[in-house]
Amino acid sequence: MDLETLVLKIIPLQWHGVIGTLSNPDNPIQSSNYWLLQQSALSWNDLIQSLCQKEPIIHQDKTLIFKPRISLLPIDIQRNLLTFIHYHQEQIPSDVIVKLLNEIEQYIKQDDWLAFLVKEIERTHMLAETDKIRLDLFCQSSNKLTDLCDRIKASSQHTSDGVGRSHFDEWKDLIDVREQQVLSPGMEIDSEREDVDMPHSGDKRFSQEHVCNNEVIILDSSTDDENAHDVKVEAKDDDATVTEVDDVTMEIDEPDLDTDIKIKVDKLLDVLNSSSDGVPGDHQMEMELFSKHTSQQVDGICKYMKTDSFSEVTLQIFCQCLCNLQPEPSYSNCVVIAKQCYLDKLLHLQQNASRRLVTTVTRFSGKFPKALIEGALVLMCANLGSPQADIICKLARETFDKQVKEFFFSKLVDMNFEWTVHTSQVFLTLIEPKLDLNTVTITTFLTLLEHHGIAQNSCLKFGKLLLTSITKYSKQFTSEHISVMGRILAVNKTYLKKTAISALKKIKP
């Protein structure tokens, strides 16, 4: 079934246009965002309900199974569609997001990129739900607190223990209710609590224990005048075992490869391990595995070889052989190789990369720059540290030409990730040599800057990024761009603010 027939069958009529923009190889998310701005009265519920609807599929073993409609679309459109939904997640009702997650989660485990996007959608949803709970709790308790304060104030002239005890008990009951509301359903409150006396009753202290999955939180407050407002919080784990889960990579079963392929892969591993230190031999025949097979097979080959755990010496030899391979691997194969070989290794850098690793990545980048960007560097930007930012900036300055930088920039502005000082550093490195950016790209970029403007208002690199954006791209600014940049600068607190505002006032759209 061709794409046009699929779209007519599974996508609501008013959403047909977005599939056309998402299938665009250049800036699909930006194009889709621009398309969405031109529409009105679109129902996200209709789109997601349609994507989640089950369709009968004949499996390879000739059994009938039912899969959500989104899984029928080409893999690149699935990825772009989930990225688009994630970008506009705040506009989508919570119950619709929950339905999407429940329906598609089990069908995306074989694709790491789809799994990563679903995990990001779920994380954003959980954060939003937490904020709603906090707001609800505040609204529920504010009226009670106000009323209680008024009554305490009105009775402040009465100092009898009976009155004081009555109001203190009301406070205690209100606090107990708040504790029970804040605790999640899986938490229990210890029913055996030490009695609480009045604040003026001497040196008596109180402690409350909240038990939650083997975790004990002790609130210890002194009743002395000097320490009347001090609260000590301790956290204790009883035989707790913490397992770190990587946000990007997933634990998967051993890939299913044909016996012939496994034999060739084992031979390749033998010759790679037997090569001298950093000096590759003639492994053209063995390396042809990566140019003669599909990207799915290459993904299985890399996992079978455990390329993500290669030593730096073996990785260097492998990279040199790959760069010399004729015919060259396809773009999709190179994306898979970049992800399997470099993503995990670069993400876990705790200090500057070694000279050998930098040399290896630089060589791969020189030969397959866009594949490295899509397979590793864009995903790295979701969890940037200083070592990761340094190596990305080094590659951008030394190996990426203007076209590649524009490609990288367009991928980054479509991503929804946490912004840090290192993010500003990467964007600054990309835009310092002026790029050819269209109006849609600039609009998306300025929207991204405005979204993070308050959180980054004291970051000097972010301020420099704003100033550079104005000086380099002012000729392409529209009146709307000037308004957006003005709002960003209004909350900025760096010493570059005045300079940037002066430069902005000189722009004539």
Side-chain angles (χ1 to χ4, degrees):
M1 188 181 300
D2 60 19
L3 179 59
E4 183 178 356
T5 305
L6 269 176
V7 170
L8 291 174
K9 180 179 180 181
I10 70 177
I11 303 296
L13 178 63
Q14 65 269 31
W15 286 97
H16 282 181
V18 78
I19 300 300
T21 57
L22 290 174
S23 59
N24 185 355
D26 297 323
N27 305 329
I29 307 303
Q30 296 173 41
S31 302
S32 301
N33 291 340
Y34 186 75
W35 174 87
L36 188 62
L37 290 174
Q38 315 303 314
Q39 310 303 312
S40 60
L42 289 180
S43 170
W44 284 98
N45 183 57
D46 290 347
L47 174 63
I48 293 179
Q49 290 281 4
S50 179
L51 294 175
C52 293
Q53 188 172 333
K54 298 293 182 65
E55 287 285 334
I57 304 293
I58 303 296
H59 199 256
Q60 293 179 350
D61 58 2
K62 297 184 179 180
T63 58
L64 182 65
I65 61 174
F66 290 86
K67 299 179 68 175
R69 286 176 167 180
I70 188 175
S71 63
L72 304 180
L73 295 169
I75 190 68
D76 57 331
I77 295 183
Q78 290 185 48
R79 294 170 179 171
N80 292 339
L81 189 54
L82 286 183
T83 304
F84 179 68
I85 290 173
H86 184 212
Y87 192 89
H88 297 281
Q89 193 167 339
E90 293 181 355
Q91 307 173 26
I92 306 175
S94 175
D95 58 327
V96 178
I97 290 293
V98 171
K99 178 176 177 60
L100 175 69
L101 294 172
N102 290 339
E103 293 295 336
I104 71 173
E105 190 170 11
Q106 60 180 314
Y107 296 100
I108 48 81
K109 294 181 179 179
Q110 295 181 352
D111 185 271
D112 288 350
W113 182 235
L114 287 178
F116 172 75
L117 289 171
V118 168
K119 191 175 293 185
E120 284 297 297
I121 293 174
E122 184 175 12
R123 183 178 67 86
T124 304
H125 172 70
M126 293 302 296
L127 290 174
E129 289 301 300
T130 302
D131 289 341
K132 288 180 181 177
I133 291 174
R134 289 172 178 168
L135 181 60
D136 289 343
L137 289 177
F138 176 78
C139 293
Q140 291 171 15
S141 61
S142 60
N143 291 335
K144 294 182 179 179
L145 288 172
T146 302
D147 179 64
L148 189 55
C149 288
D150 291 340
R151 281 187 285 155
I152 290 176
K153 183 178 179 180
S155 62
S156 60
Q157 297 177 352
H158 304 283
T159 58
S160 67
D161 286 347
V163 175
R165 168 69 67 176
S166 174
H167 287 306
F168 182 81
D169 287 343
E170 289 186 54
W171 272 102
K172 180 175 177 294
D173 292 342
L174 181 58
I175 293 173
D176 289 345
V177 171
R178 284 291 304 268
E179 288 172 349
Q180 294 178 27
Q181 289 175 328
V182 171
L183 290 175
S184 62
M187 298 184 180
E188 298 178 357
I189 299 180
D190 193 347
S191 59
E192 298 181 3
R193 295 189 175 186
E194 186 177 345
D195 291 336
V196 183
D197 207 340
M198 290 296 295
H200 61 265
S201 62
D203 294 331
K204 204 166 187 178
R205 307 165 69 86
F206 72 90
S207 66
Q208 300 171 340
E209 295 186 357
H210 296 177
V211 182
C212 171
N213 298 329
N214 297 326
E215 184 178 20
V216 180
I217 299 176
I218 301 176
L219 301 182
D220 188 5
S221 176
S222 173
T223 56
D224 293 338
D225 291 340
E226 296 179 349
N227 303 314
H229 301 291
D230 294 340
V231 178
K232 181 180 179 183
V233 181
E234 298 179 3
K236 298 181 180 180
D237 291 339
D238 296 336
D239 302 325
T241 301
V242 180
T243 304
E244 293 185 359
V245 181
D246 193 294
D247 287 338
V248 178
T249 56
M250 299 174 56
E251 183 179 350
I252 58 175
D253 297 330
E254 182 177 325
D256 185 18
L257 297 176
D258 294 339
T259 303
D260 292 341
I261 295 180
K262 287 185 177 181
I263 292 174
K264 293 178 182 178
V265 173
D266 289 336
K267 184 178 179 181
L268 175 58
L269 285 172
D270 289 339
V271 296
L272 287 175
N273 292 329
S274 62
S275 297
S276 58
D277 185 14
V279 180
D282 183 13
H283 307 318
Q284 177 81 11
M285 184 177 298
E286 292 82 4
M287 292 296 296
E288 287 179 351
L289 285 165
F290 297 96
S291 59
K292 290 187 175 181
H293 292 87
T294 66
S295 58
Q296 186 174 1
Q297 289 173 313
V298 168
D299 185 63
I301 291 171
C302 289
K303 290 173 180 174
Y304 182 79
M305 294 176 68
K306 298 181 179 178
T307 55
D308 58 343
S309 59
F310 272 0
S311 68
E312 292 185 3
V313 173
T314 303
L315 185 60
Q316 183 181 33
I317 297 171
F318 177 77
C319 175
Q320 289 174 311
C321 293
L322 189 71
C323 291
N324 295 332
L325 181 60
Q326 293 296 332
E328 293 182 358
S330 67
Y331 176 77
S332 58
N333 285 6
C334 290
V335 170
V336 169
I337 294 169
K339 181 169 63 175
Q340 294 295 338
C341 290
Y342 298 110
L343 177 58
D344 190 65
K345 194 173 292 293
L346 294 176
L347 268 178
H348 288 86
L349 286 175
Q350 299 297 321
Q351 56 187 5
N352 289 340
S354 67
R355 183 179 300 178
R356 188 187 296 274
L357 180 58
V358 171
T359 302
T360 303
V361 177
T362 302
R363 174 152 190 171
F364 187 93
S365 175
K367 187 74 173 180
F368 312 109
K370 291 185 178 181
L372 181 67
I373 288 169
E374 186 170 347
L377 301 189
V378 170
L379 295 176
M380 281 171 57
C381 288
N383 190 24
L384 274 181
S386 180
Q388 290 77 23
D390 287 345
I391 197 167
I392 290 176
C393 292
K394 179 179 176 63
L395 293 173
R397 286 191 298 264
E398 298 180 4
T399 67
F400 293 167
D401 59 23
K402 183 178 178 181
Q403 184 182 12
V404 173
K405 288 178 181 177
E406 290 168 358
F407 174 80
F408 192 9
F409 185 87
S410 67
K411 290 289 183 182
L412 280 185
V413 296
D414 281 342
M415 292 289 290
N416 188 4
F417 47 74
E418 182 180 357
W419 194 293
T420 67
V421 62
H422 306 300
T423 313
S424 298
Q425 179 184 350
V426 170
F427 270 108
L428 195 57
T429 303
L430 289 176
I431 70 169
E432 276 183 331
K434 191 174 185 302
L435 306 179
D436 292 332
L437 305 179
N438 58 39
T439 302
V440 175
T441 303
I442 293 177
T443 301
T444 306
F445 179 51
L446 293 182
T447 303
L448 190 65
L449 293 179
E450 184 178 21
H451 180 72
H452 298 284
I454 296 178
Q456 297 296 315
N457 61 5
S458 299
C459 176
L460 185 58
K461 277 193 170 63
F462 189 83
K464 188 176 180 181
L465 179 61
L466 298 178
L467 180 58
T468 304
S469 301
I470 295 171
T471 56
K472 295 283 185 179
Y473 303 96
S474 59
K475 292 183 179 179
Q476 298 169 257
F477 274 20
T478 64
S479 56
E480 179 62 28
H481 294 157
I482 295 174
S483 299
V484 173
M485 185 60 78
R487 293 195 296 270
I488 301 172
L489 290 173
V491 298
N492 194 263
K493 297 180 180 179
T494 66
Y495 71 87
L496 296 171
K497 174 178 179 177
K498 290 184 179 179
T499 307
I501 291 177
S502 298
L504 187 66
K505 289 180 178 178
K506 297 177 181 178
I507 300 177
K508 296 180 180 179

